[in-house]
């Protein structure tokens, strides 16, 4: 509206020049406002650039001012020193001029006597101008001040030392007053303090070469400041050591296995150099030794802390390797320092022992988890060691291991590869004990893999899953054979260097003093082997217990129950035409035959393990009969009538078990002793029920021959054979525990066939064995 009205006014008054149009006014003011704003913005930008330039100039000028201030301070100090020097020279010239003027006045007064006294005057002038008339002490002090002002410390030190020696010799015959001597000594003391201050400042320079440092410290020793010089020496080595360590620390994460050894080299080499310089400069006084020991102990404590702080994960192999190398190198350095009278081995072990023990514990936990997982998921693959593998050097080529057994030896060798000789000396006993714990845990895991409940439910937590169960005899025997191979051959061979070193140290007069409770001296080889055997016994006993119980509690006629001795139809077994053991014991014989055949295939070449298992199985049956109270309670039941034939059958069964042990060619004395106890107890039980053993029982030879005949019939696979067993060997029962495998050296019940024992029975015979023969049929 306003713009339109303005235009109308312009149209109405077009000819009046003194009237300015509104549009011109708006355009002018608008243009001026925009230009003003732009101008202000431009000025502000220029002002901003000027401020930035001013700020930069002020900063540079401030730094230049600081630098100039420092230079001014230095120049001021130099001017002060120069002023002192000029003042000293001015005093000397002034004294000389005053002396000359005074003598010239005297000479003018005696001018008349010039001819007479010319020679005397010349001599007197020479005397005046000569240095002999000047005070030598003042001259020396001036010279010393000049040397100190010019920082010529070596020359000042030599001059001061020479002056002290001269006045020390002339002190007794000196004619000077005590005041003059005291003043001179005070002046010397002040200048000596100045020299000391200069030497200290020079020694504290970080970039000072070690040779210059030794010269400076030697100067302090000469002016009687040995204690201060020694402190400066240790301080200098400490600062240099700190710089070297700080420069090395960033590379610790790169060299995870050798960082500790490098740190050890840096620290102990500095201690060795400091000890050498101490002996060279200051001697081996007790005070110096105490001072360097305190300093070195502090540096070693710092070293131990740095080793722990920069260690990789404690449960890793790198941490174990680094810890072992650290012990090896550090103790070697400590051994070298003993030549300087410094013994730090005990201190080092006190500081590092907790860290080393932690690394060992966590590494063994890690490998224990690996072994447990491998055993729980074992696929029973029979693995023979390949060429170049860790097993190939320690095991015969025909040895076979399960995958878990190979894993066990693999992790053991992984740990042993990291161990150094010094680690064996100080921690060998602890490592061997941890190997025992490792093998024991491996055995406990195998027990969980085997069928049947374990007596000790706390061996492994129930929440740990077991994905694999060894159901067949071959699988079970394979696991047991692998455990025996590890305990008897592989593990002892792997740790043999531990006991070799123990024997070597003992032969050289080594002592366990100061080595700690986990040293190689803390365990004996026999005791260690005994612990391994104890773990194997747990595995063997569990296998035998579950194996025997599985056949004892069979359903049907083969169930081992005391009532079978009360259900006999015949009155007298002695008149039976073909007496045989009870069905459960025939079944036992057949199962042992099958197990022996499987063991011969699975445990090929491991006759000792086969005999141990079969012998323990037979012994377990007899032990169960001896200890099972429910079995014996049946004979005390008055409601059931006991027959003499039941006692005869029981005794025949016991003799049959003994013959199984003898025929199996394994030690039978424990079985025979238990059988004797059972027979005695059975006779007493039947006697208490009015059964006369004298009339019911025949001679022992009858039971022995009958048991041998039963063995013969069952091994031939027929219930009745026309062939008669050969006479019993003389040493039939008195067999030694260690029996040879050769047929000629074994005293066994022989038969008319070619079979030597049920363990050598053919597989064809085991397909349809005829051992379930009812004695009453």
């Amino acid at each position: 509206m306003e713009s339109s009205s303005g235009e109308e006014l312009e149209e109405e008054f077009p000819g009046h020049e003194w009237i300015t149009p509104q549009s011109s006014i708006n355009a002018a003011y608008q243009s001026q406002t925009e230009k003003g704003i732009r101008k202000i913005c431009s000025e502000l930008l220029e002002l901003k650039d000027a401020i930035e330039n001013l700020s930069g100039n002020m900063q540079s000028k401030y730094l230049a001012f600081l630098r100039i201030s420092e230079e001014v301070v230095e120049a001021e100090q130099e001017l002060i020193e120069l002023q002192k020097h000029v003042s000293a020279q001015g005093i000397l010239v002034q004294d000389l001029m005053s002396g000359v003027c005074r003598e010239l006045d005297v000479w003018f007064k005696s001018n008349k006597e010039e001819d007479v006294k010319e020679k005397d005057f010349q001599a007197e002038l020479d005397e005046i101008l000569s240095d002999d008339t000047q005070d030598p002490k003042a001259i020396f002090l001036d010279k010393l001040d000049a040397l100190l002002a010019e920082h010529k410390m070596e020359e000042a030190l030599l001059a001061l030392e020479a002056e002290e020696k001269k006045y020390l010799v002339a002190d007794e015959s000196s004619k000077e007053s005590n005041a003059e001597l005291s003043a001179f000594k005070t002046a010397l003391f002040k200048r000596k303090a100045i020299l000391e201050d200069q030497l200290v400042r020079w020694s504290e320079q970080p970039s000072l070469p070690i040779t210059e440092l030794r010269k400076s410290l030697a100067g302090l020793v000469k002016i009687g400041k040995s204690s201060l010089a020694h402190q400066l020496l240790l301080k200098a080595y400490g600062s240099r050591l700190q710089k070297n360590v700080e420069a090395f620390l960033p590379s610790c994460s790169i060299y995870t296995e050798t960082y500790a050894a490098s740190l050890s080299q840096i620290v102990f080499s500095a201690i060795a150099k400091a000890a050498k310089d101490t002996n060279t400069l200051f001697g081996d006084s007790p005070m110096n030794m105490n001072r360097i020991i305190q300093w070195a102990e502090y540096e070693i404590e710092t070293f131990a802390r740095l080793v722990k702080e920069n260690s990789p994960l404690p449960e890793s192999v790198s941490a174990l390797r680094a810890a072992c190398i650290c012990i090896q190198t550090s103790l070697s350095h400590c051994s070298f320092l003993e030549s300087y009278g410094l013994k730090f081995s005990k201190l080092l072990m006190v500081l590092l022992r907790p860290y080393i023990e932690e690394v060992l514990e966590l590494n063994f936990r890690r490998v224990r988890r690996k072994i447990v997982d491998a055993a729980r998921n074992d696929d029973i693959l029979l693995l023979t060691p390949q060429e170049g593998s860790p097993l190939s050097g320690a095991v015969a080529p025909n040895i076979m291991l399960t995958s878990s057994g190979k894993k066990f030896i693999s992790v053991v060798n992984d740990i042993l590869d990291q161990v150094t000789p010094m680690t064996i000396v100080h921690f060998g006993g602890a490592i061997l004990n941890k190997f025992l714990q490792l093998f024991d845990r491996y055995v406990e895991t195998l027990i969980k893999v085997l069928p049947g409940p374990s007596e000790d439910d706390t061996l492994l937590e129930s929440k740990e899953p077991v994905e694999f169960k060894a159901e067949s005899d071959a699988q079970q025997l394979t696991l047991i054979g692998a455990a025996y191979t590890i305990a008897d051959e592989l593990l002892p061979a792997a740790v043999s260097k531990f006991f070799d070193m123990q024997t070597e140290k003992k032969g050289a007069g080594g002592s366990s003093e100061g080595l700690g409770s986990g040293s190689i001296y803390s365990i004996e080889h026999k005791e260690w082997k005994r612990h391994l055997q104890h773990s194997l016994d747990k595995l063997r006993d569990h296998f035998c217990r579950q194996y025997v119980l599985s056949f004892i509690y069979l359903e049907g006629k083969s169930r081992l129950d005391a009532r079978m001795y009360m259900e006999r139809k015949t009155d007298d077994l002695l008149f039976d035409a073909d007496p045989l053991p009870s069905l459960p014991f025939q079944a036992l014989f057949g199962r042992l035959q099958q197990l022996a055949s499987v063991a011969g295939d699975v445990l090929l070449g491991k006759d000792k393990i086969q005999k141990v298992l079969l012998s323990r199985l037979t012994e377990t049956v007899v032990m169960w009969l001896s200890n099972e109270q429910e079995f014996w309670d049946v004979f005390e039941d008055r409601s059931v009538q006991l027959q003499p034939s039941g006692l005869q059958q029981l005794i025949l069964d016991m003799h049959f078990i003994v013959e199984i042990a003898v025929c199996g060619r394994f030690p039978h004395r424990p079985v025979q002793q238990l059988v004797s106890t059972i027979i005695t107890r059975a006779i007493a039980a039947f006697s208490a029920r009015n059964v006369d053993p004298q009339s019911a029982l025949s001679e022992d030879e009858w039971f022995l021959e009958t048991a041998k005949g039963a063995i013969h019939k069952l091994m031939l696979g027929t219930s009745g054979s026309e062939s008669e067993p050969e006479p019993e060997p003389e040493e039939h029962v008195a067999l030694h525990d260690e029996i040879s495998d050769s047929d000629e050296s074994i005293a066994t019940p022989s038969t008319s066939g070619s079979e030597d024992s049920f363990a050598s029975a053919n597989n064809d015979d085991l397909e349809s064995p005829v051992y379930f023969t009812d004695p009453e049929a």
Side-chain angles (χ1 to χ4, degrees), residues 91 93-104:
I91 293 173
V93 172
Q94 186 177 1
D95 291 342
L96 180 61
M97 291 177 63
S98 61
V100 171
C101 291
R102 186 173 58 254
E103 294 301 327
L104 286 175

Side-chain angles (χ1 to χ4, degrees), residues 39 76 228:
K39 183 177 180 181
E76 185 180 1
L228 177 60

Side-chain angles (χ1 to χ4, degrees), residues 561-744:
D561 192 344
R563 292 179 178 83
M564 65 183 181
Y565 297 110
M566 302 177 183
E567 297 173 355
R568 292 195 55 82
K569 299 177 182 179
T570 58
D571 293 336
D572 199 336
L573 187 65
L574 302 179
F575 300 102
D576 196 332
D578 191 14
L580 288 174
S582 302
L583 286 178
F585 291 94
Q586 295 182 43
L588 172 65
F589 180 75
R591 292 197 65 173
L592 291 177
Q593 272 188 306
Q594 289 181 332
L595 188 65
S597 177
V598 174
D601 295 334
V602 174
L603 304 177
L604 183 63
K606 297 295 179 182
D607 297 338
K608 179 181 178 182
I609 302 177
Q610 298 179 39
K611 290 182 180 180
V612 167
L613 290 177
L614 295 174
S615 174
R616 187 61 177 176
L617 281 170
T618 308
E619 188 178 347
T620 302
V621 175
V622 183
M623 289 175 63
W624 183 88
L625 288 173
S626 177
N627 298 328
E628 185 62 28
Q629 186 59 39
E630 292 182 3
F631 179 85
W632 296 101
D633 289 341
V634 175
F635 297 112
E636 298 176 2
D637 187 2
R638 297 284 178 177
S639 63
V640 180
Q641 182 66 30
L642 296 181
Q643 300 294 333
S645 59
L647 178 61
Q648 296 168 358
Q649 185 67 53
L650 176 59
I651 295 177
L652 176 60
D653 291 343
M654 295 302 99
H655 279 277
F656 181 72
I657 291 179
V658 175
E659 285 303 314
I660 289 176
V662 174
C663 186
R665 295 179 179 178
F666 43 77
H668 62 277
R669 290 189 181 277
V671 176
Q672 188 178 15
Q673 292 174 358
L674 290 171
V675 163
S676 299
T677 303
I678 292 173
I679 291 176
T680 302
R681 186 174 180 179
I683 292 174
F686 276 80
S687 298
R689 299 291 303 280
N690 299 321
V691 175
D692 185 12
Q694 298 293 334
S695 60
L697 299 179
S698 177
E699 298 294 334
D700 288 343
E701 287 76 7
W702 182 88
F703 290 101
L704 179 61
E705 294 296 332
T706 302
K708 290 169 59 179
I711 292 285
H712 175 65
K713 294 173 184 178
L714 294 176
M715 290 188 65
L716 290 178
T718 58
S719 60
S721 175
E722 298 179 357
S723 61
E724 297 296 333
E726 295 181 2
E728 177 189 2
E730 296 180 359
E731 297 294 328
H732 174 66
V733 181
L735 296 178
H736 298 288
D737 289 347
E738 297 296 333
I739 304 178
S740 172
D741 292 338
S742 62
D743 295 339
E744 298 178 357

